[in-house]
Amino acid sequence: RLAAGGEGGSERAQRLLDLRDRSGDATGARRALELAFAAEPGNAAVFRRLVEAYRQAGDEGATLRLLDPAIAARPDDPELLLLRSGARESLGDDDGALFDLESAAVQDPRHVDALLALHQRVLAKQAPLSAQSGGRLPATADVYAIRVVDVLLHAKRLDDARRELERLLERSPNHADGLERMAAIRGASGEWALALETYKKLLPVAEAGGDRDLLVRVVLAMADVCERAGDPGAARDWLEKALVQAPESHELMQRLERVCEFTGDFARLAHLLSSHAERHDVPAERTRLFVRAGNLLLDSARDPAGARAVAERARAVDADSLEAILLWATAVRQLGQPREAIGLLEEATT
């Protein structure tokens, strides 16, 4: 009658479950729980008892079949994710177990310690494989480590994240993601010298990898550390290298301009602006960059001859640009040729 369903099924299932519990019939109790859950799938207490019954019976497959749809409906429930993580680990699905526990720890930091313990168990299982491959752990070990570190950073457990990164970088010293996160932790802790040292290790790795986005991100982060450490000029060479790789990056250009202004290297900044102008497709922007470079040479670098040369390049792009004309006339006047300056200004105003 209970299996057939119908009105009153939930109450009958509960009575049957009570009988099975009192008699110590674990198999019968499990069947009663299944019937109770089928009669009332929204009953959270029955659901959790059924999950526990499956787990005590060692039936992790049934546990997963029960948990999967529940998590699909509530993907951010840390308790459900914790239960499925345990089932997946029992079935040897380390990746799935870690993924579920990572998700649970992001939702509830109280599960971070459980995640660290699981990570250590997974590493211990991978250790015999390293003996077969010359002492190298499988590549997944590094992937798992970074995922765990990201959860630790999310939970603001910087010391634990640092320890995990130290272990990772001991076995994989050129791991880009590990170096980037270690540099960020050291920077956040005010360890400027160590952060800069780490970025210097990371930058050649990022450059060799051909990932422009990574290179730009790392160079900008390094420039920030150099500035905070009181030595912004230390980042200049890498900013220039990155700008060659990503000439469209306004962030790189702005940071490089700031560095050159801070160090007083206005001639170098003018050269960079002129080079950037040459690569630009929009005539108005090319003219603007040339004029800015020329004004730097004129006002800050005290180089009127250089300013005149840049002004001529600006006028070659836009002969009617008043800014370019004024720049040329001012440079020529400073070079001791006032008649030529006046002549061009009169021509421009007629």
PDB file of all heavy atoms in Angstrom, residues 88 93-103 105-106 115-116 118-119 122 140-154 164-165 168 175 177 181:
ATOM      1  N   ARG A  88      31.894  11.712  -3.421  1.00  0.00           N
ATOM      2  CA  ARG A  88      32.794  11.682  -4.577  1.00  0.00           C
ATOM      3  C   ARG A  88      34.190  11.207  -4.170  1.00  0.00           C
ATOM      4  O   ARG A  88      34.842  10.452  -4.907  1.00  0.00           O
ATOM      5  CB  ARG A  88      32.876  13.070  -5.201  1.00  0.00           C
ATOM      6  CG  ARG A  88      31.644  13.405  -6.036  1.00  0.00           C
ATOM      7  CD  ARG A  88      31.703  14.809  -6.613  1.00  0.00           C
ATOM      8  NE  ARG A  88      30.823  14.937  -7.769  1.00  0.00           N
ATOM      9  CZ  ARG A  88      30.602  16.079  -8.422  1.00  0.00           C
ATOM     10  NH1 ARG A  88      31.195  17.194  -8.016  1.00  0.00           N
ATOM     11  NH2 ARG A  88      29.815  16.098  -9.471  1.00  0.00           N
ATOM     12  N   ASP A  93      36.723  10.091  -6.989  1.00  0.00           N
ATOM     13  CA  ASP A  93      36.623  11.286  -7.842  1.00  0.00           C
ATOM     14  C   ASP A  93      37.200  12.480  -7.079  1.00  0.00           C
ATOM     15  O   ASP A  93      36.474  13.308  -6.536  1.00  0.00           O
ATOM     16  CB  ASP A  93      35.153  11.523  -8.215  1.00  0.00           C
ATOM     17  CG  ASP A  93      34.964  12.758  -9.092  1.00  0.00           C
ATOM     18  OD1 ASP A  93      35.975  13.335  -9.548  1.00  0.00           O
ATOM     19  OD2 ASP A  93      33.795  13.152  -9.319  1.00  0.00           O
ATOM     20  N   ASP A  94      38.536  12.550  -7.053  1.00  0.00           N
ATOM     21  CA  ASP A  94      39.184  13.613  -6.277  1.00  0.00           C
ATOM     22  C   ASP A  94      38.865  14.997  -6.840  1.00  0.00           C
ATOM     23  O   ASP A  94      38.660  15.953  -6.079  1.00  0.00           O
ATOM     24  CB  ASP A  94      40.698  13.400  -6.265  1.00  0.00           C
ATOM     25  CG  ASP A  94      41.094  12.163  -5.474  1.00  0.00           C
ATOM     26  OD1 ASP A  94      40.327  11.778  -4.567  1.00  0.00           O
ATOM     27  OD2 ASP A  94      42.141  11.578  -5.769  1.00  0.00           O
ATOM     28  N   ASP A  95      38.850  15.127  -8.152  1.00  0.00           N
ATOM     29  CA  ASP A  95      38.576  16.427  -8.758  1.00  0.00           C
ATOM     30  C   ASP A  95      37.178  16.911  -8.379  1.00  0.00           C
ATOM     31  O   ASP A  95      36.992  18.069  -7.984  1.00  0.00           O
ATOM     32  CB  ASP A  95      38.705  16.338 -10.283  1.00  0.00           C
ATOM     33  CG  ASP A  95      38.587  17.701 -10.945  1.00  0.00           C
ATOM     34  OD1 ASP A  95      39.528  18.491 -10.847  1.00  0.00           O
ATOM     35  OD2 ASP A  95      37.525  17.972 -11.552  1.00  0.00           O
ATOM     36  N   GLY A  96      36.203  16.019  -8.480  1.00  0.00           N
ATOM     37  CA  GLY A  96      34.832  16.388  -8.124  1.00  0.00           C
ATOM     38  C   GLY A  96      34.697  16.700  -6.640  1.00  0.00           C
ATOM     39  O   GLY A  96      33.995  17.642  -6.253  1.00  0.00           O
ATOM     40  N   ALA A  97      35.390  15.913  -5.807  1.00  0.00           N
ATOM     41  CA  ALA A  97      35.330  16.143  -4.363  1.00  0.00           C
ATOM     42  C   ALA A  97      35.911  17.505  -4.014  1.00  0.00           C
ATOM     43  O   ALA A  97      35.338  18.267  -3.214  1.00  0.00           O
ATOM     44  CB  ALA A  97      36.080  15.035  -3.630  1.00  0.00           C
ATOM     45  N   LEU A  98      37.056  17.819  -4.603  1.00  0.00           N
ATOM     46  CA  LEU A  98      37.666  19.125  -4.343  1.00  0.00           C
ATOM     47  C   LEU A  98      36.786  20.265  -4.850  1.00  0.00           C
ATOM     48  O   LEU A  98      36.617  21.283  -4.173  1.00  0.00           O
ATOM     49  CB  LEU A  98      39.043  19.199  -5.015  1.00  0.00           C
ATOM     50  CG  LEU A  98      40.194  18.546  -4.257  1.00  0.00           C
ATOM     51  CD1 LEU A  98      41.407  18.382  -5.155  1.00  0.00           C
ATOM     52  CD2 LEU A  98      40.557  19.343  -3.014  1.00  0.00           C
ATOM     53  N   PHE A  99      36.230  20.086  -6.035  1.00  0.00           N
ATOM     54  CA  PHE A  99      35.376  21.136  -6.597  1.00  0.00           C
ATOM     55  C   PHE A  99      34.194  21.433  -5.675  1.00  0.00           C
ATOM     56  O   PHE A  99      33.877  22.600  -5.400  1.00  0.00           O
ATOM     57  CB  PHE A  99      34.875  20.727  -7.977  1.00  0.00           C
ATOM     58  CG  PHE A  99      33.995  21.746  -8.628  1.00  0.00           C
ATOM     59  CD1 PHE A  99      34.545  22.836  -9.296  1.00  0.00           C
ATOM     60  CD2 PHE A  99      32.611  21.643  -8.547  1.00  0.00           C
ATOM     61  CE1 PHE A  99      33.735  23.795  -9.884  1.00  0.00           C
ATOM     62  CE2 PHE A  99      31.791  22.598  -9.130  1.00  0.00           C
ATOM     63  CZ  PHE A  99      32.352  23.672  -9.804  1.00  0.00           C
ATOM     64  N   ASP A 100      33.536  20.372  -5.186  1.00  0.00           N
ATOM     65  CA  ASP A 100      32.382  20.584  -4.304  1.00  0.00           C
ATOM     66  C   ASP A 100      32.798  21.255  -2.998  1.00  0.00           C
ATOM     67  O   ASP A 100      32.117  22.167  -2.507  1.00  0.00           O
ATOM     68  CB  ASP A 100      31.698  19.247  -4.008  1.00  0.00           C
ATOM     69  CG  ASP A 100      30.778  18.802  -5.134  1.00  0.00           C
ATOM     70  OD1 ASP A 100      30.458  19.642  -6.007  1.00  0.00           O
ATOM     71  OD2 ASP A 100      30.394  17.626  -5.153  1.00  0.00           O
ATOM     72  N   LEU A 101      33.925  20.816  -2.432  1.00  0.00           N
ATOM     73  CA  LEU A 101      34.342  21.383  -1.148  1.00  0.00           C
ATOM     74  C   LEU A 101      34.852  22.815  -1.324  1.00  0.00           C
ATOM     75  O   LEU A 101      34.678  23.662  -0.439  1.00  0.00           O
ATOM     76  CB  LEU A 101      35.410  20.499  -0.505  1.00  0.00           C
ATOM     77  CG  LEU A 101      35.590  20.600   1.016  1.00  0.00           C
ATOM     78  CD1 LEU A 101      34.254  20.710   1.743  1.00  0.00           C
ATOM     79  CD2 LEU A 101      36.379  19.420   1.528  1.00  0.00           C
ATOM     80  N   GLU A 102      35.476  23.099  -2.462  1.00  0.00           N
ATOM     81  CA  GLU A 102      35.860  24.486  -2.761  1.00  0.00           C
ATOM     82  C   GLU A 102      34.619  25.374  -2.810  1.00  0.00           C
ATOM     83  O   GLU A 102      34.591  26.470  -2.225  1.00  0.00           O
ATOM     84  CB  GLU A 102      36.584  24.547  -4.107  1.00  0.00           C
ATOM     85  CG  GLU A 102      37.991  23.965  -4.087  1.00  0.00           C
ATOM     86  CD  GLU A 102      38.466  23.578  -5.484  1.00  0.00           C
ATOM     87  OE1 GLU A 102      37.828  23.995  -6.469  1.00  0.00           O
ATOM     88  OE2 GLU A 102      39.458  22.835  -5.600  1.00  0.00           O
ATOM     89  N   SER A 103      33.592  24.901  -3.514  1.00  0.00           N
ATOM     90  CA  SER A 103      32.354  25.682  -3.620  1.00  0.00           C
ATOM     91  C   SER A 103      31.714  25.875  -2.257  1.00  0.00           C
ATOM     92  O   SER A 103      31.212  26.958  -1.930  1.00  0.00           O
ATOM     93  CB  SER A 103      31.379  24.980  -4.566  1.00  0.00           C
ATOM     94  OG  SER A 103      31.950  24.813  -5.855  1.00  0.00           O
ATOM     95  N   ALA A 105      33.281  25.902   0.641  1.00  0.00           N
ATOM     96  CA  ALA A 105      34.119  26.796   1.451  1.00  0.00           C
ATOM     97  C   ALA A 105      33.954  28.250   1.027  1.00  0.00           C
ATOM     98  O   ALA A 105      34.069  29.162   1.854  1.00  0.00           O
ATOM     99  CB  ALA A 105      35.579  26.373   1.350  1.00  0.00           C
ATOM    100  N   VAL A 106      33.692  28.480  -0.248  1.00  0.00           N
ATOM    101  CA  VAL A 106      33.436  29.848  -0.711  1.00  0.00           C
ATOM    102  C   VAL A 106      32.135  30.362  -0.106  1.00  0.00           C
ATOM    103  O   VAL A 106      32.038  31.523   0.300  1.00  0.00           O
ATOM    104  CB  VAL A 106      33.384  29.900  -2.252  1.00  0.00           C
ATOM    105  CG1 VAL A 106      32.824  31.239  -2.739  1.00  0.00           C
ATOM    106  CG2 VAL A 106      34.778  29.686  -2.828  1.00  0.00           C
ATOM    107  N   LEU A 115      38.529  21.592   3.520  1.00  0.00           N
ATOM    108  CA  LEU A 115      39.118  21.643   2.187  1.00  0.00           C
ATOM    109  C   LEU A 115      40.626  21.405   2.249  1.00  0.00           C
ATOM    110  O   LEU A 115      41.182  20.645   1.440  1.00  0.00           O
ATOM    111  CB  LEU A 115      38.821  22.995   1.531  1.00  0.00           C
ATOM    112  CG  LEU A 115      39.520  23.267   0.193  1.00  0.00           C
ATOM    113  CD1 LEU A 115      39.103  22.240  -0.859  1.00  0.00           C
ATOM    114  CD2 LEU A 115      39.218  24.683  -0.279  1.00  0.00           C
ATOM    115  N   LEU A 116      41.300  22.049   3.204  1.00  0.00           N
ATOM    116  CA  LEU A 116      42.743  21.853   3.347  1.00  0.00           C
ATOM    117  C   LEU A 116      43.070  20.396   3.648  1.00  0.00           C
ATOM    118  O   LEU A 116      44.043  19.834   3.108  1.00  0.00           O
ATOM    119  CB  LEU A 116      43.291  22.756   4.447  1.00  0.00           C
ATOM    120  CG  LEU A 116      43.321  24.250   4.137  1.00  0.00           C
ATOM    121  CD1 LEU A 116      43.741  25.040   5.371  1.00  0.00           C
ATOM    122  CD2 LEU A 116      44.252  24.546   2.974  1.00  0.00           C
ATOM    123  N   LEU A 118      41.258  17.748   2.841  1.00  0.00           N
ATOM    124  CA  LEU A 118      41.019  16.966   1.620  1.00  0.00           C
ATOM    125  C   LEU A 118      42.174  17.155   0.635  1.00  0.00           C
ATOM    126  O   LEU A 118      42.641  16.190   0.015  1.00  0.00           O
ATOM    127  CB  LEU A 118      39.698  17.390   0.983  1.00  0.00           C
ATOM    128  CG  LEU A 118      39.383  16.782  -0.400  1.00  0.00           C
ATOM    129  CD1 LEU A 118      39.354  15.260  -0.328  1.00  0.00           C
ATOM    130  CD2 LEU A 118      38.062  17.327  -0.940  1.00  0.00           C
ATOM    131  N   HIS A 119      42.631  18.377   0.511  1.00  0.00           N
ATOM    132  CA  HIS A 119      43.747  18.644  -0.408  1.00  0.00           C
ATOM    133  C   HIS A 119      44.983  17.836  -0.012  1.00  0.00           C
ATOM    134  O   HIS A 119      45.675  17.272  -0.878  1.00  0.00           O
ATOM    135  CB  HIS A 119      44.061  20.147  -0.394  1.00  0.00           C
ATOM    136  CG  HIS A 119      45.115  20.541  -1.369  1.00  0.00           C
ATOM    137  ND1 HIS A 119      46.123  21.426  -1.065  1.00  0.00           N
ATOM    138  CD2 HIS A 119      45.339  20.165  -2.652  1.00  0.00           C
ATOM    139  CE1 HIS A 119      46.915  21.575  -2.106  1.00  0.00           C
ATOM    140  NE2 HIS A 119      46.469  20.829  -3.082  1.00  0.00           N
ATOM    141  N   VAL A 122      44.508  14.235  -1.041  1.00  0.00           N
ATOM    142  CA  VAL A 122      44.674  14.063  -2.487  1.00  0.00           C
ATOM    143  C   VAL A 122      46.158  14.068  -2.845  1.00  0.00           C
ATOM    144  O   VAL A 122      46.626  13.231  -3.635  1.00  0.00           O
ATOM    145  CB  VAL A 122      43.918  15.165  -3.255  1.00  0.00           C
ATOM    146  CG1 VAL A 122      44.257  15.118  -4.746  1.00  0.00           C
ATOM    147  CG2 VAL A 122      42.416  15.001  -3.067  1.00  0.00           C
ATOM    148  N   THR A 140      47.966  17.793 -12.302  1.00  0.00           N
ATOM    149  CA  THR A 140      46.755  18.160 -11.566  1.00  0.00           C
ATOM    150  C   THR A 140      47.068  18.656 -10.162  1.00  0.00           C
ATOM    151  O   THR A 140      46.290  19.429  -9.587  1.00  0.00           O
ATOM    152  CB  THR A 140      45.792  16.963 -11.469  1.00  0.00           C
ATOM    153  OG1 THR A 140      46.507  15.823 -10.955  1.00  0.00           O
ATOM    154  CG2 THR A 140      45.209  16.623 -12.823  1.00  0.00           C
ATOM    155  N   ALA A 141      48.210  18.256  -9.604  1.00  0.00           N
ATOM    156  CA  ALA A 141      48.560  18.706  -8.248  1.00  0.00           C
ATOM    157  C   ALA A 141      48.694  20.219  -8.210  1.00  0.00           C
ATOM    158  O   ALA A 141      48.241  20.876  -7.264  1.00  0.00           O
ATOM    159  CB  ALA A 141      49.860  18.040  -7.787  1.00  0.00           C
ATOM    160  N   ASP A 142      49.307  20.794  -9.236  1.00  0.00           N
ATOM    161  CA  ASP A 142      49.462  22.246  -9.285  1.00  0.00           C
ATOM    162  C   ASP A 142      48.126  22.934  -9.524  1.00  0.00           C
ATOM    163  O   ASP A 142      47.856  24.000  -8.962  1.00  0.00           O
ATOM    164  CB  ASP A 142      50.457  22.638 -10.377  1.00  0.00           C
ATOM    165  CG  ASP A 142      51.882  22.200 -10.048  1.00  0.00           C
ATOM    166  OD1 ASP A 142      52.110  21.742  -8.914  1.00  0.00           O
ATOM    167  OD2 ASP A 142      52.747  22.304 -10.929  1.00  0.00           O
ATOM    168  N   VAL A 143      47.302  22.340 -10.363  1.00  0.00           N
ATOM    169  CA  VAL A 143      45.971  22.897 -10.627  1.00  0.00           C
ATOM    170  C   VAL A 143      45.154  22.935  -9.335  1.00  0.00           C
ATOM    171  O   VAL A 143      44.534  23.953  -8.997  1.00  0.00           O
ATOM    172  CB  VAL A 143      45.233  22.062 -11.696  1.00  0.00           C
ATOM    173  CG1 VAL A 143      43.801  22.568 -11.878  1.00  0.00           C
ATOM    174  CG2 VAL A 143      45.983  22.126 -13.032  1.00  0.00           C
ATOM    175  N   TYR A 144      45.177  21.815  -8.605  1.00  0.00           N
ATOM    176  CA  TYR A 144      44.429  21.755  -7.343  1.00  0.00           C
ATOM    177  C   TYR A 144      44.970  22.783  -6.347  1.00  0.00           C
ATOM    178  O   TYR A 144      44.193  23.435  -5.627  1.00  0.00           O
ATOM    179  CB  TYR A 144      44.517  20.360  -6.728  1.00  0.00           C
ATOM    180  CG  TYR A 144      43.853  19.261  -7.523  1.00  0.00           C
ATOM    181  CD1 TYR A 144      44.227  17.926  -7.385  1.00  0.00           C
ATOM    182  CD2 TYR A 144      42.846  19.563  -8.435  1.00  0.00           C
ATOM    183  CE1 TYR A 144      43.614  16.919  -8.105  1.00  0.00           C
ATOM    184  CE2 TYR A 144      42.231  18.553  -9.175  1.00  0.00           C
ATOM    185  CZ  TYR A 144      42.627  17.234  -9.007  1.00  0.00           C
ATOM    186  OH  TYR A 144      42.021  16.240  -9.738  1.00  0.00           O
ATOM    187  N   ALA A 145      46.283  22.936  -6.298  1.00  0.00           N
ATOM    188  CA  ALA A 145      46.879  23.868  -5.343  1.00  0.00           C
ATOM    189  C   ALA A 145      46.414  25.297  -5.594  1.00  0.00           C
ATOM    190  O   ALA A 145      46.060  26.021  -4.657  1.00  0.00           O
ATOM    191  CB  ALA A 145      48.410  23.793  -5.426  1.00  0.00           C
ATOM    192  N   ILE A 146      46.386  25.700  -6.853  1.00  0.00           N
ATOM    193  CA  ILE A 146      45.948  27.056  -7.178  1.00  0.00           C
ATOM    194  C   ILE A 146      44.475  27.237  -6.829  1.00  0.00           C
ATOM    195  O   ILE A 146      44.076  28.294  -6.302  1.00  0.00           O
ATOM    196  CB  ILE A 146      46.195  27.358  -8.673  1.00  0.00           C
ATOM    197  CG1 ILE A 146      47.696  27.511  -8.934  1.00  0.00           C
ATOM    198  CG2 ILE A 146      45.459  28.611  -9.112  1.00  0.00           C
ATOM    199  CD1 ILE A 146      48.341  28.680  -8.211  1.00  0.00           C
ATOM    200  N   ARG A 147      43.666  26.229  -7.098  1.00  0.00           N
ATOM    201  CA  ARG A 147      42.243  26.341  -6.757  1.00  0.00           C
ATOM    202  C   ARG A 147      42.067  26.509  -5.248  1.00  0.00           C
ATOM    203  O   ARG A 147      41.251  27.331  -4.788  1.00  0.00           O
ATOM    204  CB  ARG A 147      41.491  25.110  -7.268  1.00  0.00           C
ATOM    205  CG  ARG A 147      41.235  25.169  -8.769  1.00  0.00           C
ATOM    206  CD  ARG A 147      40.797  23.861  -9.387  1.00  0.00           C
ATOM    207  NE  ARG A 147      39.892  23.057  -8.608  1.00  0.00           N
ATOM    208  CZ  ARG A 147      39.450  21.856  -9.018  1.00  0.00           C
ATOM    209  NH1 ARG A 147      39.839  21.361 -10.181  1.00  0.00           N
ATOM    210  NH2 ARG A 147      38.616  21.165  -8.265  1.00  0.00           N
ATOM    211  N   VAL A 148      42.822  25.747  -4.473  1.00  0.00           N
ATOM    212  CA  VAL A 148      42.727  25.850  -3.010  1.00  0.00           C
ATOM    213  C   VAL A 148      43.215  27.225  -2.551  1.00  0.00           C
ATOM    214  O   VAL A 148      42.605  27.860  -1.681  1.00  0.00           O
ATOM    215  CB  VAL A 148      43.534  24.722  -2.338  1.00  0.00           C
ATOM    216  CG1 VAL A 148      43.679  24.976  -0.842  1.00  0.00           C
ATOM    217  CG2 VAL A 148      42.847  23.380  -2.566  1.00  0.00           C
ATOM    218  N   VAL A 149      44.303  27.699  -3.136  1.00  0.00           N
ATOM    219  CA  VAL A 149      44.831  29.024  -2.776  1.00  0.00           C
ATOM    220  C   VAL A 149      43.794  30.107  -3.039  1.00  0.00           C
ATOM    221  O   VAL A 149      43.610  31.027  -2.222  1.00  0.00           O
ATOM    222  CB  VAL A 149      46.133  29.316  -3.558  1.00  0.00           C
ATOM    223  CG1 VAL A 149      46.495  30.802  -3.473  1.00  0.00           C
ATOM    224  CG2 VAL A 149      47.268  28.466  -3.010  1.00  0.00           C
ATOM    225  N   ASP A 150      43.094  30.010  -4.150  1.00  0.00           N
ATOM    226  CA  ASP A 150      42.084  31.024  -4.470  1.00  0.00           C
ATOM    227  C   ASP A 150      40.962  31.028  -3.425  1.00  0.00           C
ATOM    228  O   ASP A 150      40.445  32.092  -3.070  1.00  0.00           O
ATOM    229  CB  ASP A 150      41.515  30.789  -5.872  1.00  0.00           C
ATOM    230  CG  ASP A 150      42.492  31.206  -6.972  1.00  0.00           C
ATOM    231  OD1 ASP A 150      43.439  31.954  -6.666  1.00  0.00           O
ATOM    232  OD2 ASP A 150      42.311  30.777  -8.123  1.00  0.00           O
ATOM    233  N   VAL A 151      40.587  29.852  -2.941  1.00  0.00           N
ATOM    234  CA  VAL A 151      39.575  29.793  -1.883  1.00  0.00           C
ATOM    235  C   VAL A 151      40.122  30.425  -0.607  1.00  0.00           C
ATOM    236  O   VAL A 151      39.423  31.190   0.083  1.00  0.00           O
ATOM    237  CB  VAL A 151      39.139  28.338  -1.623  1.00  0.00           C
ATOM    238  CG1 VAL A 151      38.196  28.269  -0.421  1.00  0.00           C
ATOM    239  CG2 VAL A 151      38.441  27.754  -2.855  1.00  0.00           C
ATOM    240  N   LEU A 152      41.372  30.134  -0.285  1.00  0.00           N
ATOM    241  CA  LEU A 152      41.990  30.709   0.918  1.00  0.00           C
ATOM    242  C   LEU A 152      42.076  32.228   0.814  1.00  0.00           C
ATOM    243  O   LEU A 152      41.836  32.944   1.803  1.00  0.00           O
ATOM    244  CB  LEU A 152      43.383  30.117   1.113  1.00  0.00           C
ATOM    245  CG  LEU A 152      43.427  28.632   1.503  1.00  0.00           C
ATOM    246  CD1 LEU A 152      44.844  28.090   1.395  1.00  0.00           C
ATOM    247  CD2 LEU A 152      42.884  28.422   2.914  1.00  0.00           C
ATOM    248  N   LEU A 153      42.414  32.734  -0.354  1.00  0.00           N
ATOM    249  CA  LEU A 153      42.469  34.180  -0.539  1.00  0.00           C
ATOM    250  C   LEU A 153      41.077  34.790  -0.396  1.00  0.00           C
ATOM    251  O   LEU A 153      40.916  35.872   0.187  1.00  0.00           O
ATOM    252  CB  LEU A 153      43.055  34.511  -1.913  1.00  0.00           C
ATOM    253  CG  LEU A 153      44.540  34.177  -2.100  1.00  0.00           C
ATOM    254  CD1 LEU A 153      44.969  34.439  -3.539  1.00  0.00           C
ATOM    255  CD2 LEU A 153      45.401  34.979  -1.140  1.00  0.00           C
ATOM    256  N   HIS A 154      40.077  34.093  -0.929  1.00  0.00           N
ATOM    257  CA  HIS A 154      38.695  34.568  -0.799  1.00  0.00           C
ATOM    258  C   HIS A 154      38.287  34.643   0.677  1.00  0.00           C
ATOM    259  O   HIS A 154      37.562  35.558   1.090  1.00  0.00           O
ATOM    260  CB  HIS A 154      37.756  33.639  -1.568  1.00  0.00           C
ATOM    261  CG  HIS A 154      36.323  34.059  -1.540  1.00  0.00           C
ATOM    262  ND1 HIS A 154      35.442  33.644  -0.565  1.00  0.00           N
ATOM    263  CD2 HIS A 154      35.614  34.878  -2.363  1.00  0.00           C
ATOM    264  CE1 HIS A 154      34.258  34.180  -0.788  1.00  0.00           C
ATOM    265  NE2 HIS A 154      34.330  34.929  -1.870  1.00  0.00           N
ATOM    266  N   GLU A 164      50.556  27.188   1.176  1.00  0.00           N
ATOM    267  CA  GLU A 164      50.235  26.356   0.009  1.00  0.00           C
ATOM    268  C   GLU A 164      51.074  26.778  -1.196  1.00  0.00           C
ATOM    269  O   GLU A 164      51.555  25.940  -1.968  1.00  0.00           O
ATOM    270  CB  GLU A 164      48.744  26.470  -0.327  1.00  0.00           C
ATOM    271  CG  GLU A 164      47.805  25.855   0.709  1.00  0.00           C
ATOM    272  CD  GLU A 164      47.963  24.347   0.829  1.00  0.00           C
ATOM    273  OE1 GLU A 164      48.369  23.687  -0.161  1.00  0.00           O
ATOM    274  OE2 GLU A 164      47.699  23.811   1.922  1.00  0.00           O
ATOM    275  N   LEU A 165      51.258  28.079  -1.370  1.00  0.00           N
ATOM    276  CA  LEU A 165      52.050  28.576  -2.500  1.00  0.00           C
ATOM    277  C   LEU A 165      53.522  28.208  -2.347  1.00  0.00           C
ATOM    278  O   LEU A 165      54.193  27.889  -3.338  1.00  0.00           O
ATOM    279  CB  LEU A 165      51.890  30.091  -2.623  1.00  0.00           C
ATOM    280  CG  LEU A 165      50.545  30.555  -3.187  1.00  0.00           C
ATOM    281  CD1 LEU A 165      50.390  32.063  -3.018  1.00  0.00           C
ATOM    282  CD2 LEU A 165      50.402  30.175  -4.663  1.00  0.00           C
ATOM    283  N   LEU A 168      53.819  24.730  -3.490  1.00  0.00           N
ATOM    284  CA  LEU A 168      53.669  24.672  -4.946  1.00  0.00           C
ATOM    285  C   LEU A 168      54.943  25.149  -5.650  1.00  0.00           C
ATOM    286  O   LEU A 168      55.447  24.497  -6.574  1.00  0.00           O
ATOM    287  CB  LEU A 168      52.482  25.546  -5.368  1.00  0.00           C
ATOM    288  CG  LEU A 168      52.369  25.894  -6.860  1.00  0.00           C
ATOM    289  CD1 LEU A 168      52.187  24.644  -7.700  1.00  0.00           C
ATOM    290  CD2 LEU A 168      51.218  26.857  -7.085  1.00  0.00           C
ATOM    291  N   HIS A 175      55.975  28.382 -11.885  1.00  0.00           N
ATOM    292  CA  HIS A 175      54.519  28.317 -12.085  1.00  0.00           C
ATOM    293  C   HIS A 175      53.951  29.736 -12.073  1.00  0.00           C
ATOM    294  O   HIS A 175      53.978  30.426 -11.058  1.00  0.00           O
ATOM    295  CB  HIS A 175      53.886  27.483 -10.972  1.00  0.00           C
ATOM    296  CG  HIS A 175      52.481  27.063 -11.260  1.00  0.00           C
ATOM    297  ND1 HIS A 175      51.416  27.933 -11.147  1.00  0.00           N
ATOM    298  CD2 HIS A 175      51.972  25.886 -11.698  1.00  0.00           C
ATOM    299  CE1 HIS A 175      50.311  27.296 -11.463  1.00  0.00           C
ATOM    300  NE2 HIS A 175      50.618  26.049 -11.815  1.00  0.00           N
ATOM    301  N   ASP A 177      50.904  31.142 -12.304  1.00  0.00           N
ATOM    302  CA  ASP A 177      49.793  31.471 -11.405  1.00  0.00           C
ATOM    303  C   ASP A 177      50.258  31.508  -9.955  1.00  0.00           C
ATOM    304  O   ASP A 177      49.822  32.358  -9.172  1.00  0.00           O
ATOM    305  CB  ASP A 177      48.660  30.452 -11.562  1.00  0.00           C
ATOM    306  CG  ASP A 177      47.930  30.597 -12.885  1.00  0.00           C
ATOM    307  OD1 ASP A 177      47.974  31.703 -13.454  1.00  0.00           O
ATOM    308  OD2 ASP A 177      47.325  29.616 -13.349  1.00  0.00           O
ATOM    309  N   ARG A 181      50.280  34.975  -7.573  1.00  0.00           N
ATOM    310  CA  ARG A 181      49.561  35.050  -6.300  1.00  0.00           C
ATOM    311  C   ARG A 181      50.514  35.302  -5.125  1.00  0.00           C
ATOM    312  O   ARG A 181      50.180  36.038  -4.194  1.00  0.00           O
ATOM    313  CB  ARG A 181      48.747  33.770  -6.088  1.00  0.00           C
ATOM    314  CG  ARG A 181      47.491  33.726  -6.972  1.00  0.00           C
ATOM    315  CD  ARG A 181      46.992  32.302  -7.173  1.00  0.00           C
ATOM    316  NE  ARG A 181      45.756  32.270  -7.942  1.00  0.00           N
ATOM    317  CZ  ARG A 181      45.703  32.441  -9.275  1.00  0.00           C
ATOM    318  NH1 ARG A 181      46.805  32.688  -9.959  1.00  0.00           N
ATOM    319  NH2 ARG A 181      44.547  32.369  -9.916  1.00  0.00           N
TER     320      ARG A 181
END
